[in-house]
Amino acid sequence: GAVVSQHPSRVICKSGTSVKIECRSLDFQATTMFWYRQFPKQSLMLMATSNEGSKATYEQGVEKDKFLINHASLTLSTLTVTSAHPEDSSFYICSVRGPNLPGELFFGEGSRLTVL
Amino acid sequence: AQRVTQPEKLLSVFKGAPVELKCNYSYSGSPELFWYVQYSRQRLQLLLRHISRESIKGFTADLNKGETSFHLKKPFAQEEDSAMYYCALSSPAGNMLTFGGGTRLMVKP
């Protein structure tokens, strides 16, 4: 399988500031990474697909200027929540498509963002 | 459009009782179906995939194309099975994974 690491696991910030979350694929090169958002007691909502060396593909309803995604290398994708507001408080999870089977994803441990 | 529905948000059973977590899907084609599990304070992980037709931790799931269902079953639930379970669907190309709303399974002693 693939090992995926996210950092930070928890972050608290003031309203109006920007927060960057990193997602690393530790043991294999990932051309595609996915960013999900999970609200309390709800399912995962795909926010965007991060493609190495090109622009991310955002799902309908996700503001690309609000959630900046950069996939600069085959092992790192970053999600930056710009001008954060309390409603952006959530659990953000990245995942990497496994090297073997279509649809098999390996997930990071998630990053809990709290905006005061 | 692909869609996954898990009708039960919470399923509570006693240890040793059979368990069935329901999953229905909507997809115009031949989907790949998966069950993912999230134990308390752990990351989401793959439990099983329909193409493998395998049993993992005593769980099995059969794809029923006629009923567009992929229910997860276990004959005798254990307390350590308590977790959130997500049914997920992918196109054969695996371009996108769509998750159901999740079912929280609680196995009581």
Side-chain angles (χ1 to χ4, degrees), chain A residues 4 34 36 38 42-44 46 59 91 97 101-105 107-109, chain B residues 34 36 38 43-44 46 49 51 86 90 92-97 99-101:
Chain A
V4 181
F34 303 92
Y36 288 85
Q38 186 177 32
Q42 294 190 32
S43 187
L44 289 81
L46 180 64
E59 294 302 302
F91 198 55
R97 182 184 294 156
L101 292 175
E104 180 176 12
L105 297 183
F107 288 84
E109 58 268 62
Chain B
F34 304 80
Y36 280 80
Q38 187 171 27
R43 68 186 68 193
L44 200 63
L46 178 67
R49 56 183 80 92
I51 58 174
Y86 294 95
S90 168
N95 292 331
M96 191 174 82
L97 199 65
F99 285 88

Side-chain angles (χ1 to χ4, degrees), chain A residues 2-111:
Chain A
V3 179
V4 181
S5 176
Q6 275 183 249
H7 177 80
S9 58
R10 290 180 180 271
V11 57
I12 300 172
C13 69
K14 292 182 179 180
S15 185
T17 60
S18 295
V19 175
K20 180 186 285 186
I21 300 170
E22 295 184 345
C23 177
R24 293 182 183 275
S25 174
L26 299 182
D27 57 351
F28 90 106
Q29 296 178 331
T31 56
T32 304
M33 294 184 179
F34 303 92
W35 285 96
Y36 288 85
R37 183 173 179 175
Q38 186 177 32
F39 292 99
K41 298 185 180 181
Q42 294 190 32
S43 187
L44 289 81
M45 182 192 76
L46 180 64
M47 298 176 65
T49 302
S50 171
N51 304 296
E52 188 270 335
S54 64
K55 292 183 179 179
T57 304
Y58 289 82
E59 294 302 302
Q60 190 173 9
V62 179
E63 300 176 58
K64 57 183 66 177
D65 294 331
K66 173 77 171 174
F67 299 99
L68 300 179
I69 291 174
N70 186 302
H71 195 154
S73 76
L74 289 170
T75 59
L76 174 64
S77 175
T78 60
L79 167 67
T80 301
V81 183
T82 63
S83 187
H85 288 281
E87 56 265 31
D88 298 326
S89 298
S90 191
F91 198 55
Y92 294 88
I93 308 172
C94 75
S95 67
V96 168
R97 182 184 294 156
N100 299 319
L101 292 175
E104 180 176 12
L105 297 183
F106 294 89
F107 288 84
E109 58 268 62
S111 298

